[in-house]
């Protein structure tokens, strides 16, 4: 291993017999000078409870109380915000991709999608969304997956998995608590043959998504540091996290997501089938 310094910070990189493994991929890169940044505002009217910025490459977490709405602002455009959700009262109950997608019968996350737990219960509901679709099947980058996909020259680069581990540790969680995640603002199309890939994004500076907490929810976010694919437009930018307590009018307008088709009910005998087909999502 070879150790160099960036300022006062030692950086250790893998070596080969002829010397260090070279990489043209910048580590810890942030947005270029002149990048257009749009800081936006909450998608739902209400009293601001929290207003924080997530720096490029950084993790973030907060507990969003039941009924409050979190708006995530894609400040620079096409910046993936990898996201995990946990019941704040019992983190053993956490976001489940299979439950979320099987209940709605669709691979994409859109307005009205209920983000469900491994117990089949609602954690949050997407109440507003300014891009066509959001992803929850592309997974999170990490040192191991980067190495497998892009080569050993990137094995020292930290990714969203490492961000999740760092932030989870501050919340008393660990490796076993990391599960499949959401990828706000990342474009992962599913082709007719079932193939998928990470391609150029559909977002833009200032675009937003808003999710309402159906119970007290711990939200973990990694502002994706990946520089080997287009998930952050090769130009890592900040995210803005806004939590509001909605006004009565806003609560009334967004009180119930659309009812789901009776054909999407869980199989008879499934633990979740207590919710009758046609019951509004989020009403359980």
């Amino acid at each position: 291993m070879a150790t160099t310094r960036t300022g006062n910070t030692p950086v250790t990189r893998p070596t080969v017999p002829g010397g260090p493994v070279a990489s043209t991929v910048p580590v810890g890169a942030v947005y270029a000078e002149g990048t257009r940044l749009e800081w936006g505002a909450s998608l739902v009217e209400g009293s601001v409870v929290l207003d924080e910025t997530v720096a490029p490459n950084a993790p973030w977490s907060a507990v969003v109380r039941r009924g409050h709405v979190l708006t995530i602002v894609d400040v620079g455009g096409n910046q993936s915000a990898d996201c995990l959700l946990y019941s704040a009262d019992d983190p053993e109950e956490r976001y489940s991709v299979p439950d979320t997608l099987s209940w709605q019968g669709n691979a994409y996350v859109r307005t009205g999608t209920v983000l469900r737990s491994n117990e089949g219960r609602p954690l949050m509901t997407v109440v507003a969304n300014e891009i066509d679709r959001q992803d929850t099947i592309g997974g999170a980058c990490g040192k191991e997956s980067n190495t497998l996909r892009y080569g050993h020259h990137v094995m020292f680069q930290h990714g969203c998995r490492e961000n999740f581990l760092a932030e989870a540790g501050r919340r008393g969680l660990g490796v076993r608590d990391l599960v499949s995640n959401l990828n706000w603002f990342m474009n992962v199309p599913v082709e007719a043959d079932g193939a998928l890939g990470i391609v150029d994004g559909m977002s833009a500076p200032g675009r937003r998504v808003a999710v309402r907490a159906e119970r007290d929810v711990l939200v973990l976010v990694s502002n994706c540091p990946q520089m080997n694919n287009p998930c952050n437009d090769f130009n890592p930018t900040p995210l803005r996290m806004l939590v509001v307590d909605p006004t009565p009018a806003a609560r009334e307008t967004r009180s119930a997501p659309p009812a789901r088709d009776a054909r999407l009910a869980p199989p008879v005998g499934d633990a979740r089938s207590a919710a009758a087909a046609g019951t509004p999502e989020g009403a359980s």
Side-chain angles (χ1 to χ4, degrees):
M1 305 293 285
T3 301
T4 58
R5 283 188 174 271
T6 302
N8 293 320
T9 305
V11 179
T12 301
R13 293 181 170 85
T15 61
V16 294
V21 175
S23 174
T24 59
V25 179
V27 179
V30 296
Y31 55 95
E33 185 177 352
T35 296
R36 176 187 163 201
L37 302 178
E38 296 287 345
W39 294 94
S42 175
L43 269 170
V44 175
E45 292 185 3
S47 303
V48 176
V49 175
L50 178 148
D51 184 352
E52 295 182 353
T53 299
V54 189
N57 311 312
W60 174 91
S61 66
V63 173
V64 181
R65 299 299 177 187
R66 180 177 181 179
H68 288 183
V69 175
L70 166 65
T71 295
I72 305 175
V73 184
D74 184 5
V75 174
N78 295 321
Q79 173 62 56
S80 178
D82 291 40
C83 181
L84 290 171
L85 309 174
Y86 302 84
S87 167
D89 296 326
D90 178 16
E92 291 290 322
E93 185 171 1
R94 68 280 304 269
Y95 177 65
S96 169
V97 174
D99 285 86
T100 296
L101 298 188
S102 63
W103 274 73
Q104 72 168 9
N106 194 290
Y108 298 124
V109 174
R110 292 186 166 103
T111 302
T113 292
V114 178
L115 306 174
R116 293 185 176 270
S117 76
N118 53 327
E119 299 292 336
R121 292 191 283 258
L123 290 171
M124 306 187 91
T125 300
V126 180
V127 294
N129 178 30
E130 292 186 328
I131 67 172
D132 178 61
R133 58 177 185 260
Q134 304 279 359
D135 171 65
T136 192
I137 55 179
C141 63
K143 291 193 295 185
E144 293 83 1
S145 62
N146 280 348
T147 302
L148 180 64
R149 288 175 173 174
Y150 309 113
H152 286 276
H153 64 289
V154 301
M155 67 182 294
F156 58 87
Q157 297 176 13
H158 90 281
C160 289
R161 178 176 170 80
E162 288 71 43
N163 272 349
F164 281 148
L165 285 170
E167 196 63 26
R170 299 184 185 104
R171 298 284 181 170
L173 304 175
V175 175
R176 70 179 300 274
D177 299 300
L178 300 191
V179 294
S180 297
N181 57 287
L182 291 144
N183 292 304
W184 303 116
F185 311 117
M186 192 166 86
N187 187 14
V188 183
V190 180
E191 306 297 344
D193 63 357
L196 57 91
I198 300 170
V199 300
D200 291 343
M202 301 182 294
S203 188
R207 295 284 177 89
R208 300 164 292 177
V209 62
V211 287
R212 181 185 63 228
E214 306 300 350
R215 64 178 73 187
D216 291 354
V217 175
L218 171 62
V219 181
L220 266 64
V221 166
S222 169
N223 193 352
C224 185
Q226 179 65 267
M227 289 295 288
N228 301 283
N229 68 48
C231 67
N232 57 24
D233 206 26
F234 303 105
N235 189 46
T237 47
L239 298 166
R240 185 181 183 187
M241 317 298 286
L242 278 158
V243 178
V244 302
D245 184 3
T247 63
R251 287 181 184 273
E252 181 69 23
T253 301
R254 304 181 186 275
S255 60
R260 60 187 171 87
D261 194 312
R263 293 171 295 176
L264 304 183
V268 174
D270 187 285
R272 293 155 299 189
S273 61
T279 299
E281 285 279 19
S284 55

